[in-house]
Every structure is written in structure tokens, then in C-alpha cells.
Amino acid sequence: MKTLLLLSLFSSAQKAIGQKNYTISGSIKSKNNGEYIIGASIKVLNSDYGTTSNEYGFYSISLVPDTYQIVYNALGKTADTLTISLVSNIEKNISLLEANYELASVTVTSSKSSGRSVAGSQMGIEKLSVQEAKNIPVIFGEKDLLKTIQLLPGIKTAGEGNSGIFVRGGSTDQNQIILDEANIYNAGHLFGFFSTFNSDAIKDIAVYKGGMPAQYGGRLSSVLDVRMNEGNNQNTSVSGSLGLISAKLNVEGPIQKNKSSFLITGRRTYADVFLKMDEKYKDNKLYFYDLNAKLNYELGKKDKLYLSGYFGKDLLGFNDQFTTNWGNGTGSLRWNHIFNSRLFLNTSAIFSNYNYEFKVKNGTNDIRIFSQIRDWNLKQDYQYSINNKNNLRFGWSGIYHIIRPGEITSNATSSINDKIQDKRYSFENALYASNVFKPNKNLNITLGARLSGFNVMGGGNFFNIDEKGNIKDTIKYAKEEIVKTYCNLEPRVSIGYMLDANTSVKAAYTRNAQYMHQITNSNGSNPLDKWASTSNIIKPQISNQFSLGYYSNILLNTYEFTAEAYYKEMENVLDYRNGADLFLNETIEAQLLFGKGRAYGIEFMLKKKTGTLTGWISYTLSKSERKINGINNNEWYNATQDRTHDISIVGIYQLSKKWTLSGNFVFYTGSAVTFPTGKYQVNGQTVYYYNSRNADRMPTYHRLDFGATWQLKKTKKWSKELVFSLYNVYGRENAFTINFRDNKDNPNLTETVQTSLFRWVPSISYNFKF
């Protein structure tokens, strides 16, 4: 009823203006495989009007009656131009051909890459195509989008080989990572050395660092929106790869040609196979696997149905004495409905699950530790094209969170008693709306707001604690009782102004609230880290981010230059008390302290988009700090993720039709850490004394990687290639950890011990498709 009333008001407003508009709408897809194209450009020639296709390929543009030339274009596709006489509403479904990029005799390629748009008001966004990531060398030679985005400005790796990211001074849990709209709570395999995202299954990836659109919420620092391929509805195809430690296989094809398709992609490492060759390690376990699957079906011209899922698991074990496994599972059911040429609806039902299990056998003790977080999510997203100057997006979402913080169970002969912590239940809900307004050819304005709410539900014991973390009293709530309710208004505004056809400036303000928190005292994301929801003690984290940017396309769009500055202030950020015990602590709130934070910096990027040599140079200068009473004498101190300088240089060179060479160089300031300032003896054991939090630094990190792709064969029906890479070309021994110990000859002296993970990592993989 509310939706109908809202649409009626928009219709009345249009009539009051007195200008009749007609609409051109439809869907844009790839002619080669039938997949819908995200972010395709629809441009009206000789005018300031245009739009882009949404996440499902749908577009809508309203214009006054006239004859227009409309250009349809997308990354990696051949543009199509249509002449349309607009005298009524028109449906135009477009199929774009793959662009055929061949080397010319003068060694010039045309490989338009993804990037930031100079036009529009959206800022703080990074987009990366799977094709770009394909040629960039990463550790173990595995094509990895999460590792590749760490080479972009404002996005920093959480550590050597780690898939975790720090975005604009935020911690790893302040990034919302979603796969086909489902939350991913741990995005790493093998302790982060591989990401959960199999690139063969990925269609599009976008990272929002600032100015997040109103449909996103729940995290302070960024949104990483990953969309899976839909599957080829034209022809069945098989592709895959064989590497030194992993293999992948992808199968896709039509269920009913032009109407429905399927996709199944699987990946597994086989390090455990090599372990079995050694009698000493044959009973050890070390591998991961994941599976992506998707079905889609066109119910009619106005309705489409999508069903997608992901399941991944890691297993690490030492004989039968120690075993740990963890993994994600998601499922998304989505229904698209086109009410008319202007109104589009997507309804989603989403399931997400993350859990870890830890087993130890020691003598008569047989112990199992288990933790889990599970989400059930229902949401609706409406997109309404009001006229050629206004595009409205609005909707709602509701998530039911269930957290099992930790459970210890043991056998009858164990000396350790069972311990089951109370489950935590909560509802996270939101209403949102935003409008993209283009008052004239130079100015774009996006106004939006998100109203979020969080209900802490009962079902166990809740505590009140004093300033020192001691429990004052315990209150038991029934499962249906509401313990506490939080509500936050999150306004967003962004403005873009075109200085000329190739240059613009933009500004944005975004307020975000975060209700789910990761409790950790490690530098990056660890599968055993604990997740905690907002409670009667843990308050929602709040951030206000201001950003300003300059954008320019140079030399006929050959180069793209961007500069963005930001300042972010945060409330209710979490850190642990000195000497905190975070592992399976029932009163986790008693181990935490809360305060404020700030992060600020400037990011530069120069990108070459065409030619035989493409790539980019990015540089970030930044600062991230916290101020929490009870830590560092109540003074500002460096956040763990604070790094002053971060530089990435990426180059991809098309040597010939058969050979592509690539390389990247990274350099960044060492992470902030706390080293001991003294030591003393207790019962013959050395105990170290620590003073200021995060006042020291890990050594500076730098590394050079090379890669080469040899195209063995490429036809319309068959392709195969060999990919070579060398990680850490000059063998830099970068510090992974630094520990301290007494000198053997003189215990009064202390010496440091540096652990480095990788010196040289060569790899080779064979990729095929038919």
C-alpha cells in the first residue's frame, strides 16, 4: 500500500510539470553467452542524458518525444548504436558482441579497462574486471580477485599472503563482503593465502570505500559486492585449470536455450596428496575445497528467477591429535519483476552460515570446540525511473542473526568439563531510499538515507559490568524478549560536477552503523576469531566519512588520473583490555573497551587503459588512530592497521598474440605493533613488560612479482594456455612475525627472532576451455 501511494505521488508530480515523457527500457546481455551485463552504458548522443544497467542488466531512461541515437556499450563488448523514434514507451533488449582485440601491425591494442567514471556523483568506488586480474601475478599463481584489489589505492593487505583487507583505516571486520547478496564472514582459505572467491565463477566485483549507496549498510569501512556468473544460455562449455597445488573445473550451459542456464564451478587444493608420499606426514591433512552453483530461469518477459549457492571448507590436521576445519555456506533465491518500463523490483531470500570446529586429542582428553554465525535475510529493492533527471531507488531488508559464540564438549574420560555458551539472537532491519538527480549537464547529486534498527533478543544470560570489567549482576531473558533496541539514521549525499568533458570534482558524506563485530587481537582475519553482535553493553559502531575527489581522463582517454582525500571519525570502536583473555570467554564484553577512532588520508592513482602496455600506479598516504579510556594512558594511539605509505605498481605488456607479460611491485610501511619495553623473572620464567599500545612498527615491506601467459591455442571452440609466475622475485625476507627471547649465552640480553613465510614462490598452471 505504501509503495502504491509513493508511486502515485511521483505520477502526480510529473503531471504537475506538464511535460510528457516516454521511456526506453529493456535488458542488456552478452550475445556470446546470454549473460546479463552489469553497468552497461546507455548514452543518448548529442545530449547530456544517459544511464547504466543495474545488477540484473535492466535499464530505463525517460525522454521527451523525439528521434534519438542511443549508444549501448560495456566493458569488453563492441558498442551498438540504434536510431529510435520515441513516440511511445519502447522496449529494447540489446545483445552486445564480444570485442575482438587483436594486435595491429603498429603494436597497439584496444583493451579498455574498468575504472572510475568521471561523470556522475559516485565516488570512492573501485571496479576490477576478471580479465584484468587474470594476468596479474599473485602468490601460488592462483588468479585471485581479493589479492588483486589490494593493489588499488586505499585498500591494504592485512598481511603477507592474506586475503583480509584494511580499507581507509578500518579493521577487517568493518568490510561487508557479499556474494550474490549473501554475507561472507570469512573470505579466506588456508588462513588467508587463498580467497573464498573462485575467479572462474565471478562476473563482477565492486568495492565501495566511501559514498556507499543507501542500499548497502552494516559495516563502517567498505562494501565488497561480488556477483557470480549466471551461466551460458547459448552453448555448453567446460573450462578449468591445473596448478602446482590446486585444480579448478567450470561447467556451464543452457537448460533451455535463450531462457535458462546453469553454472557449476569447483576448486580443490591437493597439498595433502603430496603429504601422503612421506610416511612421516601421510596422516596429516591440509586442503580446502569450494563449490559455486547457479541456476537462472526466465519465467516470462517481466519475470526472472535466480538460485545461487556457495559452499567452501578448509581442513587442517596433524595425525589424529589435532584437527581444525572452518567454512562458509550461502544460498540466494532472487526474483526479478518488471512492473512497467520505469519500475523494477528484486526480491531476495538469503541464507548465510559460517562456522569453525577445533578438535584436540591428548591422552585421555578428546575435546571439541565449535562456534557458528548464521543469518536469514529477506529484502526487497525497487528502482524507479521518474524522468530523465531523477532515478529513485528504495527498499527494505531484515536479517535474523543467530550466533553460537563457543562450545566445548569432551569425552567421558576428559579432565575438561563441557561448556556451552548461550546463543545470541538478534534482528537487524533497515529502510532506505536514494535519488540520483541531474539538474543540468554538469551537475549530478545523489541524496539518500538509511534508517537501521537492531533488536537484541533474549535467550540466555546478559551481564552488567563495572569500569574494571567485573560483573555486577546477571539477568536472564526469555528468547522472545527484547533486551535492547538501537536505531540509527544514516544519511548519504554525494555531488559531482563536470569541469569539462574529461574532468570532474566530487564530494561526499556518508554515515554508517555497524552491529556485528569481530573480536580479535591478531593483525588480520583469523578463522578462529570470535564474532559478537551488538548487546546491552556492546554498542553499534558509528562512522562519519567526508571525502573529496578529482578525476580526469587524459590524452583521449588513454590515461585516467584520480585523487581522493577522506576524513573518517568513528564512535564505539572496540579494542581489548591489557591482558585480555578472548578465547571462549563467556563474558566477552568484560574483556573489551570502547572509544573513538579517526582515519584520514589521500589516495592517488594513474592508470593507463589502452596500448600494448597497460597498468597503474597507486599511492596512499594515510593515518588511523584510536582513543579509548583504559588503553595507552587514555591518549591517541596507532590502530593496528595504521600504515603511513602504501605504493603499488602494476604493469601488463602484450608482447605478441601468444605472450602476455606482467609484473607488480608493492611497498608499504610496516604495521603498528606493540613490542616489549622490559622484562622480569617469575619463578624462573621470563615475563615481558609492555607499555604503549601499537607504538612500534614491523619492518617496511616490499616485494616484486613477475608473470607470463603463453597462449598455446585459441579458436572459437577451444583455448588453452600456460601461466607462469614468480612471487617475490628478489627474495626479500619480509617479516611475518617478530618474537623476543633471552639470549642463550647471556639471559640478561634480549634478542629478536623474525619469521618470514615466503622467499621465492614459483608456480605454473595450465588453463583450458572448450
Side-chain angles (χ1 to χ4, degrees), residues 171-208:
S171 56
T172 53
D173 72 313
Q174 291 178 352
N175 306 305
Q176 183 181 36
I177 302 176
I178 51 180
L179 176 64
D180 273 3
E181 301 189 49
N183 282 322
I184 300 292
Y185 284 96
N186 188 294
H189 285 303
L190 290 183
F191 294 95
F193 296 118
F194 291 81
S195 81
T196 56
F197 303 123
N198 183 343
S199 297
D200 289 351
I202 301 306
K203 174 181 183 178
D204 182 83
I205 183 169
V207 186
Y208 296 88

Side-chain angles (χ1 to χ4, degrees), residues 423-438:
K423 293 181 182 179
R424 294 301 191 207
Y425 305 91
S426 55
F427 282 102
E428 183 177 350
N429 307 293
L431 295 170
Y432 65 87
S434 65
N435 183 57
V436 179
F437 174 50
K438 187 177 176 64

